[in-house]
Amino acid sequence: GSLLVPPSKSDAQRAILCAALSSGVSEISNYGKSEDVLSMLTNVEKLGATLEYLDGTLRIHGTTQVPNGLELNVGESGLGLRLLAGVFACSPFTQTLIGQGSILLRDQSFIQKYFPENGVEVTSRNNKIPLSISGQFLGGDITVDGSESSQYISGLLLGLPLIGKKSVLHVENSKSTPYISMTLDTLQKFGIEIINENFQSYQIKGGQNYTPCKYAVESDWSSASYWLVASAIGNPIGLNGLSMQSKQADIKILEAFENANCIIQREKDEIQIDGLLRRAFSFDATDCPDLFPALVTFAVFCEGVTTLKGVSRLSNKESDRGVVLQKEFGKLGVRIEINDDVMSVFGGGELNGNTLSSHNDHRIAMCLAIAATKIEEGILIKGGESVSKSYPEFWEHLEMLTAG
């Protein structure tokens, strides 16, 4: 069957926060209903924005003054936490960020290290939330390490234009630069000017104002990755709504399919993957680590040994994804080895049914479900409700496609 890919929660969260910081009314279409997006919508209302829901379009009346003494709950959204932290660090007041579920276990030492170095007081629970952020970045030259997550960099890029002084943000060991490019593109649409010097430094004029705009959220290449894999392993599925000019990092999955000798078929707005002659492949997912679950599922059905680079980017996610992928696919009879930053997947073998766990990780649940489409006896996934974080309609769409 055919499927319209859901909106990108990553794109939507950026746009919603930028609109909330604008001095006027923005209209955002195709924003979606994932838990992460709903958390951001709740939080921008607490910032002082007013929301109107009009036939699939969200109208946001922004606010230019972040209130003092807020406590915002980001749910399980790592991106929401880091974007809001960057904005809070560039306001003169005291704010608190809390969350729930897996976010409580995720390390936020970047904030605890670099914010105080630049004039912002931070208290945390052993580098984990809740986080209390007081004071304002001083501006000038700021140097940080970007190897942990590009989301911290995106947060600073949202916040630093708001302080009175010019900033030059220097980023060492920058990773996942497509996500930063995505942030810069969104900021430009909301009137913020930042000069990007090869993702190594950013010239940021102070005292800027966000300006409202009409913004259409892109369909999500991360969510699409599972259905594209399903197509590549022989399920007749066509995907609609994806932009081939997208700045989303996970569009890189098309390169992985090409490396695996697949044919990318495009007819008008629909994409399918012909994987009849697929084979084991090599792929560097360092800058698109969210693709790992989908890529592992694909590799399982490719004869030979597939090597995936970027395992070091997987430990501080909703689960320790490298270890979890090895464990859960192992229960299906798949051999996966991890050696430093490289994962080797031994594909082409016969899979057996079993009871598996999502480890409360939405991407693990979805990738296991796609693998199950090729296991005659099926599998049982515990914690399948975790998909609501990014793709609440996933099981409904899977059932629809299977029935079709």
Side-chain angles (χ1 to χ4, degrees):
S2 295
L3 189 69
L4 180 64
V5 179
S8 164
K9 69 181 181 67
S10 179
D11 191 18
Q13 288 180 89
R14 287 167 166 82
I16 290 166
L17 184 52
C18 288
L21 297 171
S22 300
S23 56
V25 182
S26 298
E27 291 187 1
I28 300 179
S29 57
N30 196 39
Y31 54 91
K33 297 181 180 180
S34 68
E35 286 185 352
D36 285 5
V37 168
L38 294 179
S39 292
M40 182 61 80
L41 289 172
T42 298
N43 287 329
V44 297
E45 284 190 296
K46 292 182 179 180
L47 284 175
T50 303
L51 309 183
E52 291 183 79
Y53 297 91
L54 306 168
D55 296 328
T57 298
L58 174 63
R59 186 175 291 169
I60 299 181
H61 300 252
T63 177
T64 57
Q65 180 64 58
V66 177
N68 188 22
L70 291 178
E71 179 178 277
L72 301 187
N73 189 334
V74 300
E76 292 192 86
S77 177
L79 175 62
L81 169 69
R82 291 156 182 170
L83 295 182
L84 287 165
V87 171
F88 286 168
C90 296
S91 82
F93 302 126
T94 299
Q95 323 289 355
T96 301
L97 291 166
I98 64 173
Q100 60 199 46
S102 61
I103 197 73
L104 299 174
L105 304 175
R106 296 173 71 173
D107 183 82
Q108 310 297 338
S109 56
F110 178 100
I111 294 172
Q112 188 70 75
K113 174 177 172 58
Y114 292 111
F115 283 25
E117 288 183 0
N118 292 278
V120 178
E121 182 181 338
V122 176
T123 58
S124 67
R125 180 179 56 86
N126 296 320
N127 294 327
K128 298 180 177 64
I129 60 172
L131 290 169
S132 177
I133 300 172
S134 301
Q136 190 174 39
F137 263 68
L138 303 174
D141 284 301
I142 302 164
T143 301
V144 299
D145 187 287
S147 60
E148 172 59 31
S149 174
S150 65
Q151 293 175 354
Y152 295 112
I153 311 306
S154 290
L156 292 176
L157 292 174
L158 261 69
L160 289 171
L162 299 174
I163 67 175
K165 185 178 179 181
K166 176 184 176 180
S167 303
V168 181
L169 177 62
H170 304 278
V171 181
E172 299 173 346
N173 304 311
S174 187
K175 295 289 191 295
S176 296
T177 54
Y179 289 106
I180 299 176
S181 181
M182 186 177 173
T183 298
L184 293 170
D185 185 63
T186 303
L187 287 168
Q188 183 181 37
K189 290 175 181 175
F190 283 92
I192 298 298
E193 299 177 9
I194 295 177
I195 299 173
N196 171 21
E197 297 179 338
N198 198 31
F199 299 100
Q200 295 177 0
S201 66
Y202 304 87
Q203 303 278 343
I204 306 168
K205 183 176 65 175
Q208 297 191 56
N209 296 309
Y210 283 78
T211 56
C213 72
K214 292 185 177 181
Y215 193 98
V217 176
E218 288 188 355
S219 292
D220 186 28
W221 278 93
S222 301
S223 297
S225 66
Y226 306 98
W227 304 119
L228 291 169
V229 167
S231 177
I233 63 177
N235 295 296
I237 298 172
L239 297 185
N240 294 285
L242 293 167
S243 169
M244 300 300 289
Q245 287 74 47
S246 175
K247 294 184 181 298
Q248 294 177 53
D250 291 348
I251 193 175
K252 299 282 282 187
I253 195 170
L254 298 181
E255 290 186 16
F257 289 133
E258 290 175 341
N259 293 351
N261 200 39
C262 295
I263 299 172
I264 300 166
Q265 299 177 327
R266 294 176 58 197
E267 185 174 345
K268 295 183 180 179
D269 190 41
E270 187 168 276
I271 300 176
Q272 295 186 25
I273 308 298
D274 180 353
L276 185 63
L277 301 179
R278 65 184 180 271
R279 64 192 179 204
F281 61 99
S282 295
F283 185 74
D284 186 348
T286 301
D287 285 338
C288 46
D290 285 348
L291 283 180
F292 252 89
L295 289 171
V296 169
T297 298
F298 179 50
V300 164
F301 297 97
C302 294
E303 187 74 36
V305 182
T306 291
T307 57
L308 302 173
K309 187 178 178 183
V311 178
S312 61
R313 305 296 314 284
L314 302 181
S315 60
N316 199 28
K317 300 291 186 179
E318 284 81 352
S319 68
D320 187 342
R321 284 187 183 149
V323 173
V324 167
L325 287 165
Q326 184 183 45
K327 178 179 180 180
E328 299 305 320
F329 275 98
K331 295 176 184 177
L332 300 178
V334 179
R335 178 183 166 196
I336 294 178
E337 296 180 355
I338 298 175
N339 185 12
D340 294 329
D341 198 37
V342 177
M343 176 183 288
S344 298
V345 181
F346 294 74
E350 187 173 343
L351 304 186
N352 51 269
N354 210 330
T355 297
L356 308 179
S357 172
S358 73
H359 296 257
N360 197 37
D361 189 328
H362 56 130
R363 302 199 189 281
I364 298 297
M366 289 187 280
C367 81
L368 293 174
I370 300 304
T373 66
K374 294 298 181 180
I375 301 175
E376 187 174 350
E377 61 267 46
I379 63 175
L380 174 65
I381 302 174
K382 294 183 177 180
E385 66 277 3
S386 58
V387 301
S388 61
K389 175 179 170 61
S390 63
Y391 193 166
E393 310 92 349
F394 177 80
W395 299 115
E396 178 186 340
H397 287 174
L398 179 62
E399 187 174 21
M400 176 189 71
L401 290 168
T402 308

